[in-house]
Amino acid sequence: MTIPRALRRRVVRVRRDTGFLAAGIPLHLALVPLWSWMASVAKSRAWPVLPLPFVLILLGVLALTAVQRRRYRLLLGVEILRLPAAREQGWLRRALRWLSVAQTWRQAGYHLLVGPLLAVVELAVLAAWVAGLAGVTVNGWAWMLPVQVRLDYVDYATQAVYYTAAGVLLLCAAPWLTGPVTRAETRIALALLGTSRSQQLQQRVEHLSESRTDLIDAAATERRRIERDLHDGTQQRLVSLAVNLGLAKATLTDLPDEARTVIDEAHREAKEAIAELNDLVRGRLHPAVLEDRGLDAALSGLAARVPIPVRLRVDLEERAAPTVESVAYFVVSEALTNVTKHARAARVDVTVKQIGRMLRVNITDDGIGGADTSTGSGLSGLAKRVGSVDGTFHISSPVGGPTTIAVELPCEP
């Protein structure tokens, strides 16, 4: 006869929970001798000896917490989160930090106060299993007794029926006790041995920040790769094409006018494509001068190519992170492009200054104003890029001007 799958899963779960509870009894009672010793030392007022059991209890809390986490992970598949390792140098600083964390004292309360109570409950559940099995098999145990003993107790058969019925009831009730007790212990362990809700959120935020930084770095690396491929591949081919068209234009003088017109047009478009590609690499991608010589040199080259007079002031104590430098360069590049195309400005002031751990970028023009980030223009893209490194983006652009873009970037994203 085939056992239903649901019943098999139920049997496996009950067996797993029973083993889990049985494994918890020695762990929950492990510190009781030390706790009793510490109480006796305190009662005898042997104050010089008192720190020794206290230190042993703290070490026991640390070891038992690790064992309990492993117990929950292996037997139930429940992962109890822990705080990240302390970054302080030296064992004394790490120990002091461990003692100053509230989680440490929650763990101590679990092992010293809650643990013994849980051990009593676990013993009661296991006693129900043992008593149930003993009651169900009482007739077998009775027939193993000597004949004379059975004759002396003539009513053992009637009592055995009662014991068997009680054993059956206990075996039926034990699985319904095992599951709730296991779930209750799991919730208690997650609350006392694991991290709190605020700590979990903090760890999540740190993880997301690290993931975002890795993603930004990966995107910057990909941009540099694209720039290198464009410079070494596509740009060189366009230059070769333009040179060949120029040679054809200069040497093939006997061609019809229509053919010369086509060559002239192709030559001009090839040179325009090269110029646009150079502008793309310099303005949209990560320029090589930014990586080699820093933000000051990159912005100086950018300002020199703008057809509007640009007054640039850069005051940096040290180089910021490459990602932050890239964002600052892109902000200035996009702002100067917008000024050239839309602002009708006669002058632009660009100021880049490092104040503490913040990099401040200000771009001001004397144009017609009216810029708005809510219209889905390139300014909204600038705000998103600045926000990707936890920076702030502000723009003031009343109609009639002037327009001021103020950006603050953390030097370490």
Side-chain angles (χ1 to χ4, degrees):
M1 185 178 66
T2 304
I3 301 177
R5 182 177 301 178
L7 181 59
R8 290 204 304 269
R9 287 200 300 266
R10 172 69 176 169
V11 171
V12 171
R13 185 164 58 250
V14 170
R15 186 172 57 188
R16 180 202 64 185
D17 293 346
T18 304
F20 169 79
L21 296 179
I25 294 174
L27 297 178
H28 289 143
L29 298 177
L31 291 183
V32 171
L34 283 175
W35 184 246
S36 302
W37 180 32
M38 185 174 178
S40 62
V41 170
K43 187 177 181 180
S44 63
R45 298 177 182 249
W47 304 116
V49 188
L50 188 59
L52 179 59
F54 181 75
V55 172
L56 292 178
I57 286 177
L58 290 178
L59 293 177
V61 166
L62 186 62
L64 285 175
T65 300
V67 175
Q68 288 282 18
R69 287 195 177 109
R70 186 174 179 84
R71 168 180 166 239
Y72 278 92
R73 183 173 62 254
L74 294 180
L75 298 181
L76 296 183
V78 175
E79 189 69 31
I80 298 179
L81 301 178
R82 67 185 72 187
L83 288 176
R87 298 179 180 178
E88 287 82 359
Q89 298 294 330
W91 66 269
L92 181 58
R93 290 185 177 181
R94 289 197 296 269
L96 292 176
R97 182 183 182 276
W98 181 69
L99 289 175
S100 64
V101 176
Q103 184 185 22
T104 301
W105 301 105
R106 290 202 307 269
Q107 294 171 1
Y110 175 87
H111 294 296
L112 295 175
L113 302 176
V114 180
L117 297 178
L118 293 178
V120 173
V121 176
E122 291 166 345
L123 284 171
V125 174
L126 293 181
W129 279 105
V130 172
L133 291 174
V136 169
T137 59
V138 66
N139 284 305
W141 293 108
W143 282 100
M144 293 175 62
L145 296 174
V147 176
Q148 187 61 40
V149 175
R150 293 200 301 270
L151 292 177
D152 293 340
Y153 296 94
V154 293
D155 59 343
Y156 79 91
T158 303
Q159 294 179 359
V161 173
Y162 297 142
Y163 292 148
T164 303
V168 171
L169 291 177
L170 285 175
L171 287 182
C172 292
W176 298 100
L177 294 175
T178 304
V181 170
T182 301
R183 290 191 292 272
E185 280 201 25
T186 302
R187 285 194 290 269
I188 294 173
L190 289 173
L192 298 180
L193 297 183
T195 56
S196 64
R197 180 63 176 171
S198 60
Q199 291 170 337
Q200 293 178 18
L201 292 176
Q202 181 181 357
Q203 292 181 14
R204 181 62 176 166
V205 169
E206 293 175 355
H207 174 71
L208 291 176
S209 299
E210 293 176 357
S211 301
R212 185 201 59 190
T213 302
D214 294 340
L215 181 61
I216 294 174
D217 292 340
T221 302
E222 184 65 16
R223 285 197 300 270
R224 288 193 289 269
R225 186 191 66 79
I226 294 174
E227 175 199 354
R228 185 174 59 252
D229 293 343
L230 289 175
H231 182 272
D232 297 339
T234 306
Q235 191 176 36
Q236 296 302 321
R237 292 185 180 182
L238 285 174
V239 170
S240 178
L241 175 61
V243 170
N244 290 334
L245 290 173
L247 290 174
K249 177 181 174 182
T251 57
L252 301 177
T253 58
D254 56 346
L255 292 177
D257 292 341
E258 293 81 1
R260 294 185 61 83
T261 302
V262 172
I263 292 176
D264 290 342
E265 183 69 22
H267 188 214
R268 184 174 64 255
E269 290 184 358
K271 291 191 293 184
E272 291 177 357
I274 293 172
E276 291 179 1
L277 186 59
N278 286 332
D279 292 339
L280 173 65
V281 170
R282 290 171 180 170
R284 299 290 181 178
L285 300 178
H286 192 91
V289 66
L290 178 60
E291 185 173 356
D292 297 337
R293 301 178 57 189
L295 192 59
D296 191 357
L299 292 180
S300 298
L302 183 64
R305 295 191 297 271
V306 177
I308 303 173
V310 177
R311 184 168 60 182
L312 175 66
R313 288 175 294 179
V314 179
D315 183 11
L316 299 177
E317 299 176 2
E318 59 183 7
R319 293 193 61 173
T323 303
V324 175
E325 286 188 342
S326 178
V327 172
Y329 177 86
F330 182 83
V331 167
V332 176
S333 174
E334 185 69 19
L336 292 179
T337 301
N338 289 338
V339 170
T340 303
K341 291 182 178 180
H342 310 294
R344 304 177 192 173
R347 191 188 68 214
V348 183
D349 291 331
V350 178
T351 303
V352 180
K353 188 175 183 180
Q354 181 179 352
I355 301 178
R357 302 306 301 167
M358 297 297 295
L359 186 66
R360 294 185 177 179
V361 181
N362 287 276
I363 304 102
T364 303
D365 68 79
D366 58 354
I368 60 175
D372 188 4
T373 58
S374 63
T375 58
S377 61
L379 293 175
S380 60
L382 281 182
K384 292 178 181 179
R385 177 167 290 208
V386 171
S388 67
V389 292
D390 286 339
T392 59
F393 179 90
H394 300 284
I395 182 170
S396 174
S397 183
V399 177
T403 297
T404 300
I405 296 177
V407 173
E408 289 189 353
L409 302 170
C411 293
E412 295 291 337

